[in-house]
Amino acid sequence: MRKSAEFMSNPAIQSNPDIQVRKARKYTWENIKKNTIRNWPLLIMVLPTIAFFVLFHYIPMGGLWMAFEDFKPKLGILGSPFVGLENFADFFSSAYCWRTIRNTLILSGLQIGIEFPITIIFALLLNELRSKRYKRLVQTVSYMPYFVSMVVVAGIIVDFCSTTGPLTALVGAFTGNYDNLLGNPANWRPIYVLSDLWKDLGFNAIIYVAALSGIDQTLYEAAEIDGANRLQRILRVTIPGIIDTIMIMLILRIGQMLSVGYEKTILLYNPQVYETADILSSFIYRKGIQEMNYGYSTAVSLFNSVINFVLLILANAFSKKYTETGLF
């Protein structure tokens, strides 16, 4: 730092911007090398993460060129005929376009409107438990479904919703209808959202529980001295204490509105419920894997990613404007 100060105060250097820039770059590079040598254990730890993103996220982005081709595996990306925006035009003019977009937005809206606030409420309730043993028990029980394979979960849902399943029997006792619940388009979204809530509630609440543990306890004591009851302490202390975390998670969720996972969808849906169950990710899977229309499915996937990116930027800008919290 002393050398840097002496260098910057040199009149000859100050009068020559080119020398100043070169010297600044030299000192910056020296600092980078020094910090690299000093923190090499941390760099080694982060290398697997960097390698993962490079190998499975950045390098595969070259395959997006297939969206503008009539891709043939035999010819490869460089040899397949270029068709421009034809794949996009085919998608937007098809009967599946607005159906899949509508279904995806509705399902994402239900997840944000139902699952997102219930997860926060669950974390707040956990925070209010005074018995540590009971709190750990509730947390453990709520976390367990998350670690169950999606294939197993889907199999359980299918069995429970079959014509002889216990859930069908329960619904039939009130409605008199004992038909397969997953065969009715009106039932598909509620079953999807409720099963999602059951599986992910505990795990998704972890980040809020962690944020709650960081709130200064003296704030609760001061609020209690001022006469605030438990609900008022939650509204005036707890929620403001985790509002930044809530907004960050909301921004990330809005940035994934069109990326509802295809795994659960393709395990649960059938042609009878395509009208309400077919979403963009399942449509991409069907076109790309089952029908082997790789260029078309890549075009739809690229459209999906672009819209998600735009939503992420808008949500971040809105959050920074009104809450002063953002990802970037």
Side-chain angles (χ1 to χ4, degrees):
M1 293 297 294
R2 184 164 50 187
K3 287 184 179 180
S4 178
E6 292 174 356
F7 147 69
M8 294 302 292
S9 62
N10 190 325
I13 292 175
Q14 288 182 350
S15 62
N16 192 326
D18 291 337
I19 297 178
Q20 202 170 12
V21 169
R22 287 198 299 270
K23 290 292 185 181
R25 288 175 178 172
K26 179 182 177 181
Y27 281 108
T28 301
W29 180 244
E30 288 178 354
N31 286 331
I32 291 174
K33 289 193 295 184
K34 188 186 299 182
N35 289 327
T36 301
I37 295 171
R38 183 186 306 165
N39 300 312
W40 66 267
L42 298 178
L43 293 174
I44 291 176
M45 289 176 63
V46 81
L47 277 178
T49 302
I50 295 174
F52 171 80
F53 279 97
V54 170
L55 291 174
F56 297 103
H57 290 268
Y58 288 100
I59 292 178
M61 287 178 68
L64 293 175
W65 187 248
M66 291 191 298
F68 307 96
E69 296 179 329
D70 181 15
F71 180 75
K72 306 294 183 185
K74 182 173 63 175
L75 301 176
I77 294 178
L78 299 180
S80 297
F82 180 77
V83 296
L85 300 177
E86 183 178 322
N87 289 321
F88 295 93
D90 290 344
F91 173 64
F92 290 124
S93 61
S94 70
Y96 304 107
C97 174
W98 303 116
R99 186 184 77 178
T100 54
I101 294 174
R102 181 194 68 224
N103 291 341
T104 305
L105 289 175
I106 291 174
L107 197 57
S108 285
L110 289 173
Q111 289 178 323
I112 294 175
I114 297 175
E115 295 179 31
F116 191 81
I118 289 179
T119 302
I120 298 171
I121 293 170
F122 178 71
L124 294 174
L125 293 175
L126 277 178
N127 189 58
E128 292 299 312
L129 290 176
R130 294 293 175 259
S131 172
K132 292 184 178 180
R133 179 177 297 179
Y134 184 63
K135 182 177 180 179
R136 286 196 296 266
L137 175 63
V138 173
Q139 285 180 305
T140 302
V141 171
S142 63
Y143 296 165
M144 287 174 65
Y146 179 83
F147 299 100
V148 179
S149 168
M150 181 58 71
V151 175
V152 175
V153 171
I156 293 172
I157 296 171
V158 170
D159 288 341
F160 273 51
C161 295
S162 65
T163 53
T164 58
L167 190 57
T168 304
L170 179 63
V171 173
F174 291 96
T175 63
N177 185 358
Y178 292 90
D179 293 337
N180 189 322
L181 294 178
L182 289 174
N184 186 343
N187 296 332
W188 199 87
R189 288 178 186 139
I191 292 172
Y192 187 101
V193 173
L194 291 175
S195 59
D196 235 18
L197 189 62
W198 167 76
K199 188 176 189 301
D200 298 333
L201 178 64
F203 188 83
N204 289 341
I206 288 177
I207 191 167
Y208 300 110
V209 173
L212 288 167
S213 66
I215 298 176
D216 189 353
Q217 296 302 308
T218 59
L219 296 175
Y220 290 105
E221 296 172 3
E224 190 173 358
I225 292 172
D226 289 340
N229 57 35
R230 179 170 290 188
L231 179 60
Q232 289 172 330
R233 292 198 296 271
I234 292 174
L235 295 176
R236 302 296 182 183
V237 179
T238 306
I239 294 180
I242 63 170
I243 190 64
D244 289 348
T245 302
I246 292 174
M247 292 309 301
I248 292 296
M249 297 304 295
L250 181 60
I251 292 169
L252 291 173
R253 186 63 192 83
I254 291 174
Q256 298 175 340
M257 279 198 71
L258 295 185
S259 296
V260 181
Y262 71 92
E263 300 95 339
K264 186 177 178 182
T265 301
I266 63 175
L267 289 169
L268 294 180
Y269 78 166
N270 56 76
Q272 289 179 311
V273 295
Y274 276 178
E275 188 59 35
T276 57
D278 195 22
I279 58 177
L280 279 168
S281 56
S282 62
F283 180 71
I284 291 168
Y285 169 83
R286 205 165 58 249
K287 284 291 181 180
I289 303 300
Q290 295 182 347
E291 299 181 16
M292 294 184 290
N293 195 343
Y294 302 110
Y296 185 93
S297 62
T298 304
V300 181
S301 182
L302 179 58
F303 163 75
N304 187 0
S305 299
V306 169
I307 298 301
N308 279 335
F309 177 74
V310 172
L311 289 174
L312 178 66
I313 297 297
L314 293 176
N316 187 73
F318 184 85
S319 177
K320 290 187 70 174
K321 181 178 180 180
Y322 292 101
T323 67
E324 298 183 356
T325 300
L327 288 173
F328 43 85

